[in-house]
Amino acid sequence: MKRFIAMLLLNVHLFNLGGYQFVFQYLINQSDVQIVKQIYENKIDATKLVEIKVPVHMPGIHPWKNYVRLNGQLQLKGVYYNYLRYKMTPDTMSFICIANSVKTRLVTAGLVIAKELNDVPLSKKGHDSSLKKVNIGNDYNFTVLNYQFTPFSTLLKAETSPIIYHLHNPYVESPGKPPNFTC
């Protein structure tokens, strides 16, 4: 009985140390899987789609006329979004997104619980803002490569010539017995 109580108290202590983090990560992962499944099954309500424009500085890129369908995630001001399509211009990236409110609530609840367990005072927003944020301006700077493929002027014709070899006798003649194999 004492062993059972000791193991129970040890499990409760270990869960208090890091179990909440595992539970919240599992729930966040399940919310991501659920929203991606809705996206692939086209069950997204068109009225919930939002366009987010992010300023960037990429002077070498040509503006895109249409949106490109690509799924991904982004976080903007503490809110998580899953984007469905995006488009690039030299000064702006435009995303068509749906807000992932379940993930946003789970992340903020996880932060609040973690801070309460560690006895850290919370700010008015619910997050610790003790770090000073410095913006250098290179947040969205990445290299763009342009490729141009040109076709050959003449097409090569492939000629098939099968190699056929007829065996009259599939057995190989041997002059005697094979050697004995001994170790």
Side-chain angles (χ1 to χ4, degrees), residues 137-165:
N138 292 334
D139 294 340
Y140 305 104
N141 190 8
F142 59 93
T143 307
V144 177
L145 300 174
N146 291 327
Y147 292 102
Q148 183 176 1
F149 296 101
T150 57
F152 292 112
S153 60
T154 59
L155 294 177
L156 300 176
K157 293 182 182 179
E159 294 182 17
T160 58
S161 60
I163 300 174
I164 298 174
Y165 183 72

